[in-house]
Amino acid sequence: MRANRRFWATATLAALLVALGVVVADVTLLLGGVALGLWLLAAQTAFVSRSGSVTDAEFTLDGEYGQVTVDEPTPVRLRADLASALPFDLTATPDLPANVTRSRAPAVTLPSGDRAAETVFELTTPVVGPKQIGPVEVEFRDRGGFFTGTTTDSTTLTVDVQPRTPERVHVGEGGRPLATLYGDHRTDRAGAGLEPYEVREYAPGDQLSRIDWKATARLDHPHIREYELTRSHETALVVDHRASMGDGPPGETKLDHLREVALGFGAAAADFDDPLGLYAVGDDGATASRDPAAGAEGYATIRRLVRRLEPTEASDPDGADPISPTEARSTAERLGGDDSRFGSTLGPYFEAGETYVRRLRDRPLFRTVQLAHSRLRGGSWLVLLTDDSNPTELREAVKLARRNEQNVVVFLAPSVLYESEVGDPDDAYDRYREFEALRRSLARMDRVSAFEVGPSDRLETVVGRVASGGGRRRSGGAPPARSAPDSRAAPRSTAAAGSDPEGTGAGTGAGARADE
């Protein structure tokens, strides 16, 4: 209970009356001051005794949706129910999380004499993650405004705020969607498993429990049915969420599309109980680091971290992509015989290969891939999700990732597919061809598969070919070619419809290389 300003003013008046009555020897003033003080004491006692019934009140918080997307308003209902009416007003206000906007004051007021009241308000937040509404702060005061009481009710409501997801996600090669899903764990070796592999004749030493009696009855000789041996995949997701990953319309940025692929890998890992790790890349370096592990709690944590990733702010003043040693040597040779001021000035910058190596080690993506690679066992899978903004850094990171017999799957977001306007169609098409050359150069590396990820509608606009393979093709283009899918695949992902520019699909096929 808290005494208000009116209480202290009245108490001061009572004390003054008593003091004045004593000074002037006026019994009337003295009795008036005493009576006023006694009345305040009685009012305080009555307020305290009646306020105990507030703890018996029932407060409920209900949300129309348990899961909403960012910037989507969600209605919340707050209701107060009393066992008996109170002689004073009561106001209940739920505690709201930060970064939440409301349509109206989220408070319900119960006037004296009423037993029930409710209010509905809408909440909106631009931040992804679970949001807890509550507990409920309850405030009540007497009719005269002399006293105020407060209590807290533990009622809460949790709303899961999800990021906006793209409607049509294309995952494929050269404009064509993947022909198969990722997720199979095949090794082409017989053993204990679930998938039938072959039926062979019984040999001494085979377990009798493995005899296929139907095949034995059909072939008149005992036969054994072998099953394909399966094994788990240790997988590490390296998700790039630097500033360039924010390119694209709201809810359909590069990061939004790649996030869907990363969540697909998380779902596949949970289905097969595979160890899964996560390494997130921001402009200042790694922002998340979870070594591969299996278990429901670990999968849930990785899903939550992936959903909460947002593009960081660029902080590197030297944002240019470093040139490779080969390019540096070639340029140095050309400038070697140039005695002009231009040649003598630029020549030294292309002579030292150490500068290239040092600059790469300072790059966030390269450093994070190096970290993830150091945590993985040989033969594991490293899944890199990024864009084509820094091709040299990307190539060197992939080369590093595939060391120690590591398998690498790269998902790239072509920058040309995420611009606000397509602009000149021919220029956009040429830029897409440059991207496709980069993707295919990565896919030609041993133990590397590379795929494009983007909005299928924008891909159709840039490429100029509908998903069925029809439409225009630039002169000199070859007809589309299908690459044969490999049944031995890396962890699972999903694909949407796409199109093929002049048959650029030559690469690794829909699946990754064999898991020997």
Side-chain angles (χ1 to χ4, degrees), residues 185-191 197-198 227-231 486-489 514-516:
H185 288 53
R186 303 178 59 179
T187 61
D188 288 340
R189 295 200 301 270
Y197 183 73
E198 66 176 354
Y227 291 87
E228 188 174 32
L229 180 65
T230 62
R231 78 184 203 187
D486 189 339
S487 62
R488 295 163 293 185
D515 181 8
E516 299 296 344

Side-chain angles (χ1 to χ4, degrees), residues 130-342:
K131 304 298 178 184
Q132 178 177 293
I133 304 170
V136 179
E137 298 292 333
V138 183
E139 181 180 275
F140 48 94
R141 62 176 59 196
D142 66 321
R143 293 181 180 179
F146 293 97
F147 309 101
T148 299
T150 58
T151 185
T152 301
D153 188 85
S154 60
T155 300
T156 60
L157 171 68
T158 301
V159 178
D160 191 12
V161 182
Q162 302 289 336
R164 292 188 180 274
T165 57
E167 295 183 358
R168 297 199 298 171
V169 181
H170 163 85
V171 181
E173 300 173 288
R176 292 179 296 99
L178 289 180
T180 60
L181 293 178
Y182 278 64
D184 295 335
H185 288 53
R186 303 178 59 179
T187 61
D188 288 340
R189 295 200 301 270
L194 299 177
E195 295 294 331
Y197 183 73
E198 66 176 354
V199 176
R200 62 172 178 81
E201 192 170 347
Y202 174 84
D206 289 334
Q207 297 179 3
L208 296 179
S209 60
R210 297 174 60 190
I211 294 179
D212 188 327
W213 296 107
K214 291 184 179 180
T216 298
R218 186 172 65 252
L219 301 173
D220 294 331
H221 294 286
H223 279 72
I224 299 292
R225 179 173 294 277
E226 297 280 10
Y227 291 87
E228 188 174 32
L229 180 65
T230 62
R231 78 184 203 187
S232 63
H233 285 137
E234 182 184 66
T235 305
L237 302 176
V238 179
V239 184
D240 189 353
H241 65 111
R242 290 177 289 180
S244 63
M245 303 304 294
D247 295 345
E252 297 186 0
T253 63
K254 294 177 182 178
L255 181 58
D256 291 326
H257 283 77
L258 293 175
R259 192 198 321 271
E260 293 300 300
V261 178
L263 292 174
F265 274 91
D271 290 342
F272 292 99
D273 199 27
D274 288 341
L276 182 68
L278 172 67
Y279 303 87
V281 187
D283 283 278
D284 293 327
T287 60
S289 173
R290 290 189 62 87
D291 295 339
E297 182 178 352
Y299 300 141
T301 300
I302 289 179
R303 284 195 301 270
R304 184 168 61 253
L305 291 174
V306 170
R307 291 188 182 279
R308 291 181 180 179
L309 290 178
E310 295 292 340
T312 58
E313 295 183 2
S315 58
D316 183 7
D318 184 15
D321 193 35
I323 63 175
S324 67
T326 303
E327 295 171 323
R329 286 193 297 270
S330 176
T331 305
E333 291 175 0
R334 292 198 303 270
L335 295 175
D338 190 348
D339 297 331
S340 66
R341 184 177 180 181
F342 176 81

Side-chain angles (χ1 to χ4, degrees), residues 343-487:
S344 59
T345 301
L346 294 182
Y349 290 96
F350 296 92
E351 293 176 356
E354 288 298 322
T355 302
Y356 167 78
V357 176
R358 184 171 60 254
R359 289 181 63 192
L360 268 181
R361 288 174 179 171
D362 293 338
R363 292 305 180 95
L365 180 64
F366 188 86
R367 291 204 316 267
T368 306
V369 169
Q370 190 175 39
L371 171 64
H373 179 266
S374 66
R375 307 282 180 84
L376 294 175
R377 300 193 303 264
S380 300
W381 292 88
L382 189 146
V383 181
L384 179 58
L385 302 103
T386 183
D387 64 358
D388 58 345
S389 298
N390 301 284
T392 303
E393 181 190 15
L394 173 62
R395 288 192 188 95
E396 298 305 318
V398 172
K399 291 178 184 178
L400 170 65
R402 68 190 184 97
R403 295 178 185 175
N404 194 26
E405 299 299 319
Q406 302 285 8
N407 303 282
V408 183
V409 185
V410 184
F411 290 93
L412 289 176
S415 297
V416 67
L417 300 184
Y418 294 89
E419 295 175 346
S420 57
E421 296 182 1
V422 174
D424 181 24
D426 291 339
D427 178 66
Y429 185 86
D430 290 338
R431 290 178 56 198
Y432 176 79
R433 293 181 63 189
E434 293 177 3
F435 163 82
E436 178 60 14
L438 170 64
R439 186 198 65 78
R440 296 207 303 179
S441 70
L442 297 175
R444 283 193 292 267
M445 297 182 187
D446 189 28
R447 299 187 309 279
V448 177
S449 298
F451 303 99
E452 63 194 359
V453 180
S456 56
D457 53 347
R458 179 58 65 89
L459 180 66
E460 294 170 2
T461 302
V462 171
V463 173
R465 180 182 297 277
V466 296
S468 61
R472 72 170 179 85
R473 185 178 73 246
R474 292 170 62 102
S475 60
R482 295 280 182 180
S483 48
D486 189 339
S487 62

Side-chain angles (χ1 to χ4, degrees), residues 78 92-96 102-108 119-121 123 133:
L78 172 62
T93 306
D95 185 27
L96 300 181
R102 59 182 189 266
S103 61
R104 52 181 297 185
V108 60
T119 185
V120 177
F121 52 93
L123 298 180
I133 304 170

